[in-house]
Amino acid sequence: MGKNRNQLVVAVMCICVFIVVIKYGVRETEAEEYFKPFNVTYDHRALILDGKRRFLISAGIHYPRATPEMWPDLIAKSKEGGADVIETYVFWNGHEPERGQYNFEGRYDLVKFVKLAASHGLYFFLRIGPYACAEWNFGGFPVWLRDIPGIEFRTNNEPFKEEMKRFVSKVVNLMREEKLFSWQGGPIILLQIENEYGNIESSYGKGGKEYVQWAASMAISLGAGVPWVMCRQQDAPYDIIDTCNAYYCDGFKPNSPNKPRMWTENWDGWYTQWGGRLPHRPVEDLAFAVARFFQRGGSFQNYYMYFGGTNFGRTAGGPLQITSYDYDAPIDEYGLLREPKWSHLKHLHAALKLCEPSLVATDSPTYIKLGPKQEAHVYEAYVQNEGLNLSLFESPRICSAFLANIDERKETTVTFRGQRYTIPPWSVSVLPDCRNTVFNTAKVTAQTSVKLIESDMPTVSSILPAQQLRHHNGIYYISNSWMTVKEPLNVWSKNNFTVEGIWEHLNVTKDQSDYLWYSTRIYVSDSDILFWEENDVHPKLTIDGVRDILHVFVNGQLIGDVVGHWIKVVQTLQFSPGYNDLTLLTQTVGLQNYGAFLEKDGAGIRGTIKITGFANGEIDLSKSLWTYQVGLWGEFLKFSSEENKNSEWVELTPDAIPSTFTWYKTYFDVPGGMDPVALDLRSMGKGQAWVNGHHIGRYWTRVSPNSGCQEVCDYRGAYNSDKCSTNCGKPTQTLYHVPRSWLKATTNLLIILEETGGNPFGISVKLHSSIIICAQVSESNYPSLQKLNSDLIGEEVSANNMIPELHLHCQEGQTISFITFASFGTPGGSCQNFSRGNCHAPTSLSVVSQACQGKRSCSIKISDTIFGGDPCPGVVKTLSVEARCTSPLNDGLFQEAVSSF
């Protein structure tokens, strides 16, 4: 392509971006006047903001899964990544922990979160629900809701509708009072009522259909002044937009030709349960799904999740959701960019924004079949010259095209408008001017970041010097001085009560604790002992159903554990002559968050409970007298708080035998700097942890299956949550995020409740950091989309801007300390395993080092002239680079830590 053509192409793209900025941008204002007030409506094509159609990228961030101190950075990274909108659920049980007592502070300061998004110039999508699912405890419902007389959740039930309307009204009124709706100059452009109700509606029969109609009319009656949606709701009423939640939504059509195609949940990963493998969705497939959605008429797409975060405290749902809610999202659990996912999607979003003028001007695309599994969708329209310089166009025409190859195996070359295009399998090429490809979903040029989370970072202890804490294998343990106290394994307080029969777990605990004790007394006669000896049998405890965990104790000794979701229990017992105390401890690991009839699901013990094998037959314990105790002694005494001054703590000796239900505490220091902090609890069993009184969540070293992980992750073909799984045969989670804002430089109090027996001396602190970064770009790749944005307007366009570039960047607070590999030519391998090929420019390392070393970010053009000439004429050359990022503050420590990585 000649220089003039290059100038024309780039100029066209710049004008397209200029149109987006001028016509659809928001003005920056002071104080809280975030936007000029505007109305939001919609037609069959898209949401209409201030009279203009918009095609929007939304980033899902759940505010309670991060700290307020993290919010500004998460929102800024979302905007930098190309998001127009921030999306979140509203979590009823967090905002109304007790009926009529509201909490909108700290991690639940929803108003602050919405205003932060607005201050960054982003719109807001508020999914009130109020049922959330979200792998959140009880799906977001407060447990006290179960106790409302006559209540049935999510159906045509007056008590439920009254409570639901009261809370939804509370949220809408709060947003209105804070002037956060678009027509008030706020960012909220979209609301949601209910959530994926269509999946379970049939379970409620006629009541379900009536409930959908009521929920819609109730929402509209609140006068929020912006559109409402219902996701996965094919019978959504005419004034509610039904939307899609799935891995792919390009084939989705709403239930009315007057509604736009909207994708409220694009699952860019998946959740994880204790004992499960870790899911991974390749970015090539994720980008393919997004491009296909907009290619086939989509208008609004939300990443679920863009940042997943952490289930702090006891907020994780059930059954058995882990504390991490990382979700393989573009921003990881700690707030760091996941590369190449974040940058590759950023490039896609930039390409889509170049197409937006064509998309908004076109009612529907023109479909062209290019091959058996290849197709094009063309968005072409004629526009009036609105004062813009359109002299570079042959006519006042704007045109964008998407070329798709949905073949899962074969690369294909197609002809489109007289030109040939080669498209990789399972990919989409984006042509903002219907001629030049600027992005292909399968061609990843973004850097890969390798996070150093398995190598330990040194800490400094206030108890002993760091070098004295260092173990022989290089691990820096958190402390070698621990205090301990044993939890009594039975009913422990005067607050217990005795009743006849088995009471349902949640009816007793009200979810104020995971734990509920049941205790009864069994008399064993001499004839029973003789019967067992003569017949070589043992008595057995039988329970119809148990969830999530059951511990069985006889006379204070643990004799069995059961984990499951309403599973039958048969446990052999060992009794002594005379009276024996049979104690059961049921335990929840997150309340059920999905499904119909949540209020009836409950926890603990269900059905009959009996002991078989006695001389006189079985003993039915279902109607026996049982003594109940909610929670643990250490919870009652608030061991997790710094205020607790319990004198029963004693020093733990290193040779102590690990025991069940034991409390541990110590004080620890953390390294300085900005790197996120995690506790490595792989030496423990199962329990909960607190740092400086903050509950960082449940932990468990439950191991995933040995099978089911793929050696090679192939992005091609439809994705599901079992595809590309990792971490087989290892504990599901070992690292637990401790936000920096919860930490002090020294003497941080760590409290551990260990349930199954673990070694606290093995706990260590780790810094979560992207140490190794790699990138690989060839001459055949497309020019950098970073050049095709509004910053280019006013500059002289040249062919130089069409040269591909390699970009590297370290996380905030770090710089590129050294280049470990660089080769321009025909290098082989991949990140952490690069090798030189037969063709190699001798200046590769020096050129890259000079351009990048000592900087946070750098870019290098993929050009022969940069590297002193063509090392192998006639060959398509590639630049491969591997570099190390370090923090100046911890540079010496990092050098030591990564020396053997």
Side-chain angles (χ1 to χ4, degrees):
M1 178 183 293
K3 180 177 180 180
N4 291 337
R5 166 55 73 179
N6 291 334
Q7 291 176 335
L8 175 60
V9 170
V10 176
V12 169
M13 293 176 181
C14 292
I15 289 172
C16 292
V17 175
F18 183 72
I19 293 171
V20 173
V21 173
I22 296 300
K23 295 183 68 175
Y24 307 110
V26 300
R27 63 184 182 95
E28 296 183 3
T29 57
E30 297 179 355
E32 295 185 355
E33 296 178 0
Y34 304 111
F35 301 88
K36 179 181 177 181
F38 62 97
N39 291 323
V40 182
T41 58
Y42 60 88
D43 63 10
H44 72 285
R45 189 72 183 93
L47 290 178
I48 300 174
L49 278 57
D50 198 21
K52 301 176 180 65
R53 288 177 179 167
R54 288 301 313 274
F55 287 74
L56 300 170
I57 300 294
S58 175
I61 301 175
H62 295 159
Y63 51 102
R65 284 176 160 142
T67 61
E69 291 80 5
M70 295 172 65
W71 293 345
D73 183 62
L74 296 174
I75 292 170
K77 286 175 177 174
S78 300
K79 181 176 182 178
E80 185 183 355
D84 308 290
V85 183
I86 298 295
E87 171 271 339
T88 187
Y89 282 123
V90 176
F91 297 91
W92 188 358
N93 52 13
H95 289 298
E96 194 177 5
E98 296 183 36
R99 190 173 187 272
Q101 297 184 18
Y102 295 101
N103 172 29
F104 286 91
E105 299 178 352
R107 290 188 294 114
Y108 292 95
D109 193 341
L110 176 59
V111 169
K112 180 177 181 178
F113 185 66
V114 175
K115 289 183 176 180
L116 277 171
S119 70
H120 284 76
L122 297 176
Y123 302 122
F124 208 93
F125 174 23
L126 192 63
R127 302 173 70 186
I128 300 177
Y131 167 70
C133 184
E135 292 69 61
W136 187 266
N137 195 49
F138 211 35
F141 286 134
V143 172
W144 55 257
L145 200 62
R146 304 170 80 243
D147 297 331
I148 303 294
I151 199 165
E152 294 181 59
F153 292 3
R154 305 176 75 193
T155 189
N156 191 22
N157 172 267
E158 290 304 322
F160 178 75
K161 291 191 298 183
E162 180 180 343
E163 295 299 319
M164 174 175 167
K165 181 178 181 179
R166 183 177 58 82
F167 180 73
V168 174
S169 300
K170 173 75 175 180
V171 175
V172 170
N173 291 337
L174 178 62
M175 297 300 107
R176 184 187 293 111
E177 291 166 5
E178 296 289 339
K179 302 187 185 314
L180 293 177
F181 288 110
S182 64
W183 50 272
Q184 299 173 298
I188 299 176
I189 61 171
L190 199 63
L191 297 170
Q192 179 176 303
I193 193 69
E194 253 300 338
N195 184 51
E196 295 188 339
Y197 187 71
N199 296 4
I200 63 167
E201 181 179 338
S202 61
S203 300
Y204 295 95
K206 180 183 177 183
K209 292 187 175 298
E210 293 170 341
Y211 169 68
V212 170
Q213 296 293 323
W214 169 85
S217 61
M218 181 272 290
I220 297 295
S221 72
L222 298 179
V226 297
W228 289 82
V229 306
M230 283 183 170
C231 59
R232 285 194 161 186
Q233 195 65 48
Q234 292 184 348
D235 60 350
Y238 72 93
D239 45 6
I240 302 287
I241 305 170
D242 58 310
T243 66
C244 183
N245 291 359
Y247 288 117
Y248 307 93
C249 284
D250 53 283
F252 170 77
K253 293 182 180 180
N255 62 11
S256 166
N258 300 318
K259 300 176 183 180
R261 300 184 186 187
M262 301 180 66
W263 192 358
T264 41
E265 290 188 15
N266 177 2
W267 303 328
D268 49 24
W270 201 239
Y271 58 80
T272 309
Q273 296 174 312
W274 296 113
R277 296 173 286 267
L278 299 182
H280 166 62
R281 187 177 185 187
V283 69
E284 297 94 331
D285 174 69
L286 178 58
F288 169 78
V290 175
R292 284 288 283 168
F293 176 69
F294 285 100
Q295 173 180 1
R296 300 183 67 189
S299 65
F300 179 102
Q301 185 265 161
N302 174 63
Y303 290 104
Y304 189 99
M305 302 294 298
Y306 200 73
F307 162 80
T310 307
N311 294 313
F312 295 116
R314 298 171 54 249
T315 58
L320 309 181
Q321 301 294 338
I322 70 172
T323 296
S324 171
Y325 201 66
D326 180 84
Y327 222 85
D328 197 42
I331 303 176
D332 74 11
E333 177 185 1
Y334 300 85
L336 302 182
L337 303 182
R338 172 171 277 112
E339 298 287 20
K341 184 169 279 190
W342 183 85
S343 287
H344 191 58
L345 294 176
K346 176 183 178 180
H347 298 161
L348 169 62
H349 302 155
L352 293 172
K353 287 302 177 185
L354 293 173
C355 300
E356 187 172 10
S358 302
L359 298 178
V360 300
T362 310
D363 280 340
S364 61
T366 299
Y367 172 80
I368 302 173
K369 190 171 181 62
L370 302 175
K373 293 186 177 181
Q374 295 76 37
E375 58 191 21
H377 289 74
V378 181
Y379 294 85
E380 187 170 19
Y382 292 86
V383 297
Q384 294 181 348
N385 188 331
E386 299 181 5
L388 297 174
N389 179 14
L390 297 178
S391 60
L392 291 174
F393 294 86
E394 295 179 1
S395 62
R397 178 180 64 86
I398 53 176
C399 183
S400 297
F402 298 82
L403 311 184
N405 178 14
I406 58 176
D407 192 303
E408 298 181 15
R409 292 289 173 260
K410 297 178 182 178
E411 179 178 270
T412 306
T413 299
V414 300
T415 300
F416 172 70
R417 295 199 169 188
Q419 289 192 186
R420 293 176 65 79
Y421 300 85
T422 299
I423 314 174
W426 200 253
S427 76
V428 176
S429 289
V430 181
L431 288 63
D433 62 350
C434 283
R435 178 170 293 273
N436 294 277
T437 303
V438 300
F439 183 85
N440 178 271
T441 59
K443 294 185 177 182
V444 180
T445 60
Q447 77 175 35
T448 295
S449 297
V450 180
K451 295 186 174 68
L452 192 64
I453 56 177
E454 294 301 330
S455 296
D456 300 83
M457 297 294 102
T459 67
V460 180
S461 172
S462 60
I463 303 169
L464 286 175
Q467 61 267 25
Q468 293 182 340
L469 295 180
R470 186 172 183 176
H471 194 268
H472 69 276
N473 64 359
I475 295 177
Y476 290 80
Y477 295 123
I478 196 169
S479 175
N480 66 353
S481 178
W482 286 85
M483 304 293 286
T484 184
V485 64
K486 194 80 172 69
E487 176 73 28
L489 301 179
N490 209 322
V491 174
W492 47 265
S493 84
K494 296 180 182 179
N495 295 328
N496 65 69
F497 62 93
T498 301
V499 294
E500 181 181 300
I502 296 295
W503 284 21
E504 193 271 327
H505 182 109
L506 288 180
N507 284 340
V508 182
T509 67
K510 308 302 180 184
D511 199 37
Q512 298 302 303
S513 171
D514 282 355
Y515 313 96
L516 178 62
W517 299 92
Y518 311 67
S519 187
T520 192
R521 183 158 286 187
I522 307 296
Y523 181 75
V524 175
S525 65
D526 292 340
S527 59
D528 290 321
I529 299 293
L530 181 62
F531 176 77
W532 296 333
E533 292 175 349
E534 290 179 347
N535 293 278
D536 192 25
V537 297
H538 297 280
K540 293 183 178 180
L541 175 71
T542 302
I543 305 175
D544 286 347
V546 167
R547 68 158 297 190
D548 297 321
I549 297 177
L550 171 71
H551 304 278
V552 181
F553 302 87
V554 174
N555 300 323
Q557 298 296 313
L558 179 66
I559 63 170
D561 299 292
V562 177
V563 178
H565 186 77
W566 295 127
I567 63 171
K568 184 174 182 177
V569 174
V570 179
Q571 174 66 53
T572 300
L573 303 174
Q574 296 285 349
F575 287 131
S576 301
Y579 286 101
N580 293 259
D581 289 326
L582 173 64
T583 301
L584 308 178
L585 176 61
T586 57
Q587 179 181 346
T588 55
V589 188
L591 302 187
Q592 186 76 14
N593 58 259
Y594 178 77
F597 311 112
L598 282 180
E599 74 280 6
K600 299 178 182 178
D601 189 69
I605 296 172
R606 175 182 288 175
T608 60
I609 173 171
K610 58 187 178 182
I611 300 177
T612 60
F614 274 73
N616 294 327
E618 67 183 31
I619 300 175
D620 186 356
L621 301 177
S622 303
K623 296 183 179 180
S624 297
L625 288 176
W626 289 86
T627 299
Y628 289 82
Q629 173 70 62
V630 175
L632 303 180
W633 177 64
E635 289 180 311
F636 177 75
L637 295 180
K638 298 182 179 179
F639 281 178
S640 61
S641 171
E642 292 182 343
E643 299 175 0
N644 178 267
K645 305 298 181 182
N646 176 47
S647 61
E648 297 190 31
W649 291 97
V650 297
E651 186 176 351
L652 179 69
T653 59
D655 58 351
I657 299 174
S659 59
T660 59
F661 287 94
T662 303
W663 295 82
Y664 300 102
K665 77 171 181 178
T666 194
Y667 291 89
F668 69 100
D669 300 351
V670 295
M674 304 174 63
D675 294 333
V677 176
L679 288 179
D680 188 335
L681 299 178
R682 72 185 67 211
S683 68
M684 305 305 288
K686 182 189 180 300
Q688 301 180 51
W690 294 260
V691 172
N692 295 331
H694 296 280
H695 194 175
I696 66 171
R698 303 182 182 97
Y699 68 85
W700 200 353
T701 50
R702 202 176 192 202
V703 175
S704 67
N706 287 317
S707 60
C709 293
Q710 297 78 33
E711 291 186 9
V712 178
C713 175
D714 189 346
Y715 78 88
R716 300 173 298 181
Y719 179 79
N720 61 71
S721 60
D722 293 325
K723 183 179 179 180
C724 295
S725 297
T726 63
N727 204 55
C728 283
K730 300 177 182 179
T732 303
Q733 184 176 357
T734 58
L735 299 174
Y736 295 83
H737 182 206
V738 186
R740 280 276 183 181
S741 61
W742 291 358
L743 291 167
K744 301 176 290 185
T746 63
T747 60
N748 295 281
L749 173 63
L750 171 62
I751 300 291
I752 297 286
L753 166 62
E754 172 58 43
E755 300 170 6
T756 62
N759 177 20
F761 289 103
I763 297 175
S764 60
V765 170
K766 292 184 175 176
L767 299 181
H768 190 79
S769 181
S770 297
I771 299 298
I772 301 172
I773 58 175
C774 304
Q776 191 172 46
V777 180
S778 76
E779 293 177 311
S780 62
N781 286 120
Y782 307 120
S784 173
L785 278 165
Q786 294 185 24
K787 296 291 186 182
L788 304 179
N789 56 36
S790 57
D791 294 334
L792 193 62
I793 295 177
E795 297 182 7
E796 183 179 350
V797 178
S798 69
N800 196 41
N801 290 317
M802 302 304 290
I803 298 174
E805 292 183 1
L806 181 145
H807 293 269
L808 294 174
H809 61 86
C810 298
Q811 68 190 52
E812 187 176 356
Q814 293 183 351
T815 57
I816 299 172
S817 58
F818 52 99
I819 307 299
T820 54
F821 180 90
S823 178
F824 178 69
T826 57
S830 57
C831 188
Q832 296 185 273
N833 192 33
F834 285 133
S835 61
R836 290 186 184 180
N838 294 328
C839 172
H840 168 73
T843 60
S844 298
L845 183 60
S846 61
V847 168
V848 175
S849 297
Q850 183 176 359
C852 299
Q853 205 154 308
K855 301 177 181 178
R856 185 188 172 194
S857 63
C858 63
S859 61
I860 305 161
K861 292 186 181 298
I862 313 303
S863 169
D864 296 339
T865 58
I866 299 295
F867 293 92
D870 192 340
C872 42
V875 176
V876 175
K877 289 164 285 296
T878 296
L879 174 61
S880 296
V881 178
E882 179 178 317
R884 298 292 176 97
C885 295
T886 59
S887 166
L889 180 65
N890 294 324
D891 187 64
L893 298 178
F894 273 101
Q895 295 290 344
E896 181 182 359
V898 304
S899 60
S900 60
F901 185 73

